[in-house]
């Protein structure tokens, strides 16, 4: 009997990525048009259905092959999120800065207390509470893009998201160093680890920012070249940050922040980078759905639900109370608190 | 029947339409509601209102007799606007058109009149996201207003050249000094007032148009110059919003001097023949600014806008003295001699930076903080 190629068929990474994108877009369309849900819900659900936890059309190896696109999507989102932090605005509008810092501290304290109370050790509690401080830049940006959101709620939301991610990463790095300090003999590493993570990442981001501004100026009127340059620098930064053992997420946030706030950086993201990034974002959400493991959630669901509810409750109450001080109506304050909900698990470990 | 509310002759008022931009990439943003909400939390007494799309806001001055008072009021309004815009991280800018916004992304302001305009004109309403300065000149009666309207038509190219500030449109250099007027031209009721000679004749024309169901109010006419009976003024609507806060008062001073000239000499030379060259001269000024070539419909002579402007300014010296605006006249003359235009400034910034976002950033700094660099 002849042996035909289709008898032992196995998906290669290219075909798998094609399936991931095609089904993702279809899922997003169904969620949006039929269920009136954000398209990203559809992307994630499709990922969950075709991923290793369900139909297993995509296995772990194939998903890892899509890592390049997923990391690039995260990189783009974090860079763009950093660009939403306008230091000049924060100097003029200190209420927003103080509100965000207070909100992050409140969430951290509440989640840490909950997790310790639930019996987790202090290092795990610190790390998980730090993750809980941050809202997901990629989800927030996609939500704003899809809803064509503009105005004070979205401006303050984007700023609060970026600042909360920055704070979360700082606490994450310090927690990592503290774990060294307590688990091993105290050594220089205990101090050097967080210092390297924070300062190394920040320096990388800053250098990338300075380089981007200089090259952008040199390219002059070539808008398309400038966009490609930006994609190139974001990819390079992710790669370098991994190679040097720093935090890519922090480096990217600082990169965005630098290009927004250093002189000459205003035109870096012109035309709007996000408009050309949708392809990567769809890949990211489908892959994120595929990596989900509902079985793991099932064993810890009471704590997980309390964790999420506590976080949501604090966000909504806090921003509702501080709405007038933030130039918002109470109703818009409530929306802002609700919109800060999406968790940022990915940015800490990108 | 339109009633013309008489006003004190030669009194002045201006309205300025301003861009509201974000400070991330300096594109237009839907910020008018947030800004108005914040401003209206404090008593201010100024005329600040929304415009047809949410990336626009309009300010208007009170009635003034002298341009220096008008400048003081404009500066106070700007201070209020700037303080509140900074709190919301919004930029405000002059200029006739945003250099790279896409008209399809604009949102019509939720107000009955604007929704009606949008319903009737379709995409033209969103394309109308352009920014102009309107100058009101007080008239003693309707007949004077009609005469002044016709008299000023001859000087429309001057106002265009002096205020031109929209060389870029939808991301491209249009090679025009002002591209804004092209958006206005698309409206069926744009152009110039019909050649009526008195307020009664104008009223007849208006009644005919109303009976035909074409217009319901004076607001339906998008003419370059139109009488504004409820204010008792003639309104010049041809100018781009200048990039700074001083130029609007210079333009107002020019209109005031011309109006005085018209009223003093009791000008009555209304003739359809004068309108033969109206559109052509208007185009020349839009396209070439001070270098445009004007054709005199009576003599057939051709002169540049610059020469014609300088000659007119020379004739207005006595009126400048009488109105106390010699400084404004001198400033105008200096600008014309240097061919100084906002359009050229915008092109220079683009040439220097290669970025339209940077152009708008500098535009915004110019209007909000008097910092052209």
């Amino acid at each position: 009997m002849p042996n035909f190629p289709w008898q032992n068929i196995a998906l290669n990474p290219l075909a798998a990525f094609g399936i991931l994108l095609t089904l993702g877009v279809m899922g997003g369309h169904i969620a949006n048009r039929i269920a009136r849900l954000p398209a990203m819900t559809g992307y994630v659900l499709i990922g969950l259905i075709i991923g290793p936890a369900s139909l297993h059309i995509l296995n772990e190896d194939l998903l890892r092959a899509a890592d390049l696109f997923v990391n690039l999507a995260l990189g783009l989102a974090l860079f763009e999120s950093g660009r939403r932090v306008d230091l000049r605005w924060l100097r003029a509008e200190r209420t927003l800065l103080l509100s965000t810092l207070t909100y992050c501290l409140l969430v951290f304290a509440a989640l840490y207390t909950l997790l310790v109370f639930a019996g987790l050790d202090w290092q795990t509690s610190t790390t998980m509470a730090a993750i809980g401080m941050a809202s997901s830049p990629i989800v927030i940006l996609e939500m704003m893009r899809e809803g064509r959101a503009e105005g004070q709620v979205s401006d303050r939301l984007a700023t609060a998201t970026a600042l909360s991610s920055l704070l979360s990463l700082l606490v994450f790095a310090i927690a990592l160093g503290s774990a060294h300090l307590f688990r091993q003999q105290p050594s220089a590493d205990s101090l050097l680890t967080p210092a390297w993570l924070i300062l190394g990442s920040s320096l990388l981001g800053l250098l990338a920012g300075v380089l981007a501004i200089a090259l952008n100026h040199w390219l002059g009127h070539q808008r398309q070249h400038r966009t490609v340059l930006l994609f190139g620098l974001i990819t390079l930064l992710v790669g370098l940050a991994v190679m040097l053992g720093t935090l890519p997420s922090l480096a990217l946030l600082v990169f965005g922040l630098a290009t927004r706030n250093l002189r000459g950086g205003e035109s870096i993201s012109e035309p709007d980078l996000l408009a050309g990034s949708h392809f990567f974002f769809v890949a990211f959400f489908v892959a994120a759905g595929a990596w989900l493991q509902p079985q793991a959630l099932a064993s810890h669901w009471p704590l997980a639900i309390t964790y999420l509810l506590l976080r949501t409750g604090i966000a909504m109450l806090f921003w509702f109370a501080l709405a007038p001080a933030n130039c918002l109506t109470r109703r818009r304050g409530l929306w802002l608190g609700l919109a800060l909900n999406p968790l940022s698990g990915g940015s800490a470990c990108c | 029947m339109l009633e013309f509310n008489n006003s004190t002759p030669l009194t002045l008022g201006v309205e300025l339409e301003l861009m509201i931009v974000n400070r991330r990439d300096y594109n237009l943003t839907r910020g008018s509601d947030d800004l108005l909400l914040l401003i209206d939390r404090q008593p201010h007494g100024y005329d600040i209102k929304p415009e047809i799309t949410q990336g626009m806001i309009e300010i208007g001055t009170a009635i003034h007799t002298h341009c220096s008072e008008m400048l003081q009021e404009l500066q106070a309004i700007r201070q209020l606007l700037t303080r509140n815009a900074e709190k919301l991280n919004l930029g405000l800018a002059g200029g006739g058109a945003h250099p790279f916004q896409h008209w399809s992304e604009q949102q019509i302001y939720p107000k009955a009149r604007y929704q009606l305009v949008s319903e009737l004109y379709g995409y033209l309403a969103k394309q109308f996201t352009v920014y102009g300065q309107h100058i009101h000149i007080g008239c003693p009666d309707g007949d004077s207003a009609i005469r002044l309207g016709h008299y000023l038509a001859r000087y429309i190219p001057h106002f265009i050249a002096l205020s031109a500030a929209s060389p870029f449109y939808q991301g491209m250099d249009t090679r025009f000094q002002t591209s804004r007027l092209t958006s206005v031209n698309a409206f069926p009721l744009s152009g110039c007032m019909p050649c009526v000679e008195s307020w009664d004749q104008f009223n007849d024309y208006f009644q005919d148009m109303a009976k035909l169901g074409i217009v319901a109010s004076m607001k339906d006419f998008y003419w370059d110059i139109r009488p504004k009976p409820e204010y008792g003024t003639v309104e010049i609507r041809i100018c781009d919003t200048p990039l700074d806060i001083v130029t609007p008062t210079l333009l107002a001073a020019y209109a005031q001097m011309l109006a005085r000239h018209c009223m003093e000499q009791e000008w009555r030379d209304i003739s359809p023949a004068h309108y033969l060259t109206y559109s052509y001269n208007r185009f020349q000024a839009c396209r070439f600014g001070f270098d445009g070539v004007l054709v005199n419909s009576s003599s057939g002579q051709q002169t540049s806008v610059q020469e014609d402007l300088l000659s007119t300014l020379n004739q207005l010296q006595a009126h400048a003295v009488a109105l106390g605006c010699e400084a404004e006249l001198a400033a105008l003359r200096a600008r014309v001699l240097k061919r100084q235009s906002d359009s050229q400034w915008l092109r220079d910034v683009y040439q220097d930076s290669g970025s339209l976002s940077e152009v708008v950033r500098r535009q915004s700094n110019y209007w909000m903080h008097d910092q052209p660099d």
Side-chain angles (χ1 to χ4, degrees):
Chain A
M1 191 159 168
N3 191 15
F4 294 107
W6 56 83
Q7 287 179 307
N8 297 311
I9 200 160
L11 284 179
N12 62 20
L14 206 58
F17 191 64
I19 289 177
L20 181 140
L21 273 184
T22 311
L23 291 181
V25 166
M26 290 165 68
H29 187 75
I30 292 168
N32 197 238
R33 290 292 164 90
I34 298 170
R36 303 273 171 208
L37 289 167
M40 76 182 98
T41 319
Y43 307 146
V44 174
L45 282 176
I46 284 291
L48 186 62
I49 293 167
I50 63 176
S54 306
L55 297 179
H56 213 278
I57 297 173
L58 303 181
N59 60 32
E60 285 87 347
D61 290 338
L62 290 172
L63 279 174
R64 275 190 202 100
D67 268 359
L68 178 65
F69 297 98
V70 171
N71 284 336
L72 196 51
L74 261 178
L76 286 163
L78 286 161
F79 168 77
E80 188 59 33
S81 188
R83 279 189 62 82
R84 305 293 173 123
V85 181
D86 185 344
L87 296 178
R88 195 176 68 155
W89 186 29
L90 291 176
R91 272 199 298 273
E93 178 59 349
R94 295 223 170 104
T95 313
L96 175 60
L97 179 64
L98 292 175
S99 303
T100 310
L101 295 179
T102 314
Y103 161 72
C104 288
L105 287 176
L106 263 177
V107 171
F108 180 80
L111 293 181
Y112 180 80
T113 309
L114 169 75
L115 295 165
V116 169
F117 186 72
L120 271 67
D121 63 72
W122 74 267
Q123 289 101 332
T124 315
S125 303
T126 307
T127 309
M128 287 187 64
I131 289 173
M133 282 161 74
S135 300
S136 165
I138 192 164
V139 177
I140 301 289
L141 288 173
E142 179 62 12
M143 204 160 69
M144 283 165 48
R145 189 200 61 80
E146 196 179 329
R148 299 177 70 194
E150 276 180 22
Q152 282 305 293
V153 175
S154 49
D155 281 358
R156 282 164 201 267
L157 172 65
T159 304
T161 300
L163 288 177
S164 70
S165 295
L166 270 173
L167 268 181
S168 164
L169 286 163
L170 294 182
V171 176
F172 180 78
I174 292 167
L176 215 63
S178 310
H180 274 267
L181 196 69
F182 285 91
R183 279 185 187 154
Q184 305 165 358
Q185 293 295 322
S187 68
D189 278 1
S190 317
L191 294 172
L192 282 178
T193 304
W196 173 241
L197 287 175
I198 295 169
L199 295 177
S201 312
S202 304
L203 191 64
L204 264 182
L206 198 62
L207 286 174
V210 172
L211 186 65
I213 292 169
L215 288 176
N216 201 59
H217 189 72
W218 179 67
L219 286 173
H221 295 224
Q222 301 293 325
R223 281 196 214 171
Q224 285 176 334
H225 290 178
R226 288 174 5 180
T227 307
V228 176
L229 168 79
L230 211 49
F231 273 88
L233 284 176
I234 288 170
T235 317
L236 177 65
L237 187 58
V238 175
L240 274 178
V242 173
M243 281 161 58
L244 294 171
T246 58
L247 289 173
S249 316
L250 185 55
L252 286 157
L253 276 169
V254 174
F255 179 27
L257 207 146
T259 60
R260 173 69 186 265
N261 292 286
L262 291 177
R263 191 171 168 79
E266 295 84 4
S267 56
I268 287 284
S269 197
E270 176 209 354
D272 194 355
L273 188 68
L274 284 183
S277 312
H278 190 52
F279 166 86
F280 299 105
F281 281 22
V282 175
F284 171 85
F285 285 116
V286 182
W291 280 116
L292 278 180
Q293 293 180 325
Q295 301 88 336
L297 188 68
S299 54
H300 297 101
W301 69 267
L303 181 58
I305 287 180
T306 315
Y307 178 97
L308 293 175
L309 284 178
L310 184 61
R311 196 171 165 273
T312 308
I314 291 172
M316 291 180 72
L317 277 174
F318 181 86
W319 290 101
F320 174 78
L322 268 74
N326 277 286
C327 308
L328 299 169
T329 58
R330 295 270 186 200
R331 194 166 62 90
R332 286 181 172 192
L334 212 56
W335 278 114
L336 174 55
L338 190 65
L340 279 167
N341 238 327
L343 258 176
S344 173
S347 59
C349 45
C350 170
Chain B
M1 180 80 176
L2 293 169
E3 193 68 41
F4 191 89
N5 293 326
N6 304 339
S7 63
T8 311
L10 303 177
T11 48
L12 284 171
V14 300
E15 294 159 334
L16 297 175
E17 293 160 344
L18 299 167
M19 300 179 198
I20 306 177
V21 295
N22 72 47
R23 282 183 157 164
R24 186 164 43 86
D25 59 7
Y26 286 86
N27 200 348
L28 286 180
T29 189
R30 301 196 291 270
S32 57
D33 263 345
D34 288 327
L35 188 57
L36 286 168
L37 194 75
L38 190 59
I39 285 171
D40 290 342
R41 277 188 190 175
Q42 54 223 289
H44 55 76
Y46 296 121
D47 180 19
I48 305 172
K49 51 186 182 243
E51 250 294 334
I52 189 160
T53 58
Q54 295 182 356
M56 308 175 80
I57 198 159
E58 182 180 297
I59 60 175
T61 66
I63 303 164
H64 294 282
T65 50
H66 194 273
C67 291
S68 58
E69 301 157 11
M70 181 189 283
L71 180 60
Q72 279 174 13
E73 188 188 2
L74 280 174
Q75 283 168 333
I77 297 175
R78 179 179 66 171
Q79 193 179 20
L80 174 75
L81 279 172
T82 300
R83 193 174 62 238
N84 288 285
E86 296 278 7
K87 205 165 165 52
L88 301 176
N89 209 23
L90 296 171
L92 298 167
H98 187 277
F100 63 90
Q101 59 94 12
H102 289 287
W103 63 267
S104 59
E105 290 167 4
Q106 305 312 317
Q107 298 280 318
I108 300 292
Y109 192 86
K111 192 172 160 185
R113 162 134 189 103
Y114 298 141
Q115 298 293 345
L116 269 175
V117 169
S118 173
E119 187 64 30
L120 176 63
Y121 291 113
Y123 89 114
L124 292 185
K126 287 189 178 182
Q127 281 211 325
F128 206 39
T129 307
V130 287
Y131 304 83
Q133 172 182 351
H134 300 170
I135 305 165
H136 288 268
I137 307 158
C139 294
D141 52 61
D143 290 342
S144 304
I146 296 297
R147 284 199 298 275
L148 181 60
H150 289 303
Y151 176 79
L152 288 172
R154 144 92 178 79
Y155 299 100
I156 280 302
H158 295 184
F159 285 98
I160 293 173
L162 285 167
S163 70
S166 50
F168 302 105
Y169 191 61
Q170 308 279 299
M172 300 299 291
D173 188 336
T174 60
R175 303 189 67 194
F176 273 58
Q177 299 302 308
T178 166
S179 63
R180 166 181 154 269
L181 290 171
T182 316
S183 302
V184 184
N185 292 348
F187 285 86
L189 298 176
S190 62
C192 54
M193 183 169 70
C195 206
V196 293
E197 296 188 10
S198 65
W199 185 247
D200 286 343
Q201 280 185 22
F202 183 82
N203 244 320
D204 292 342
Y205 168 80
F206 180 83
Q207 296 305 329
D208 289 345
M209 294 292 275
K211 272 184 212 154
L212 293 168
I214 297 172
V215 298
S217 77
M218 282 299 296
K219 283 183 180 171
D220 293 322
F221 293 115
Y222 292 78
W223 298 329
D224 298 338
I225 305 170
R226 70 181 182 195
K228 187 87 174 172
E230 57 268 45
Y231 292 175
T233 61
V234 163
E235 183 184 12
I236 303 171
R237 300 154 47 82
I238 199 80
C239 302
D240 281 359
T241 300
L243 297 181
D244 68 330
I245 201 82
V246 177
T247 308
T249 60
L250 299 184
L251 294 167
Y254 187 48
Q256 193 183 29
M257 290 184 274
L258 286 170
R260 188 171 188 278
H261 192 248
C262 169
M263 290 178 189
E264 287 286 302
Q265 67 172 14
E266 295 185 356
W267 182 88
R268 290 172 190 278
D269 186 16
I270 300 168
S271 158
H274 296 323
Y275 284 95
L276 274 178
T277 54
Y278 181 86
S279 297
Y280 180 78
N281 288 348
R282 184 179 184 272
F283 159 77
Q284 284 283 324
C286 289
R287 171 69 179 86
F288 301 107
F290 292 118
D291 296 325
V293 175
L294 302 181
V295 181
N296 185 313
S297 59
S298 312
S299 65
Q301 273 188 330
Q302 296 194 352
T303 47
S304 74
V305 173
Q306 187 194 30
E307 285 170 34
D308 199 48
L309 240 167
L310 285 172
S311 144
T312 309
L313 287 171
N314 286 338
Q315 292 166 31
L316 293 175
Q317 186 63 45
H319 300 291
V321 174
L323 292 165
C325 49
E326 295 115 300
E328 285 82 0
L329 184 80
L332 284 166
R333 186 181 284 121
R335 284 182 184 211
V336 178
L337 281 169
K338 284 191 281 183
R339 287 192 171 87
Q340 183 187 330
S341 78
D342 285 348
S343 272
Q344 193 52 50
W345 185 86
L346 291 165
R347 283 196 170 102
D348 289 345
V349 174
Y350 182 63
Q351 190 59 35
D352 178 49
S353 66
S355 159
L356 289 175
S357 290
E358 176 63 11
V359 170
V360 185
R361 188 187 73 79
R362 302 260 292 267
Q363 245 175 286
S364 177
N365 272 352
Y366 202 168
W367 196 85
M368 293 172 84
H369 306 291
D370 284 330
Q371 290 171 350
D373 295 312

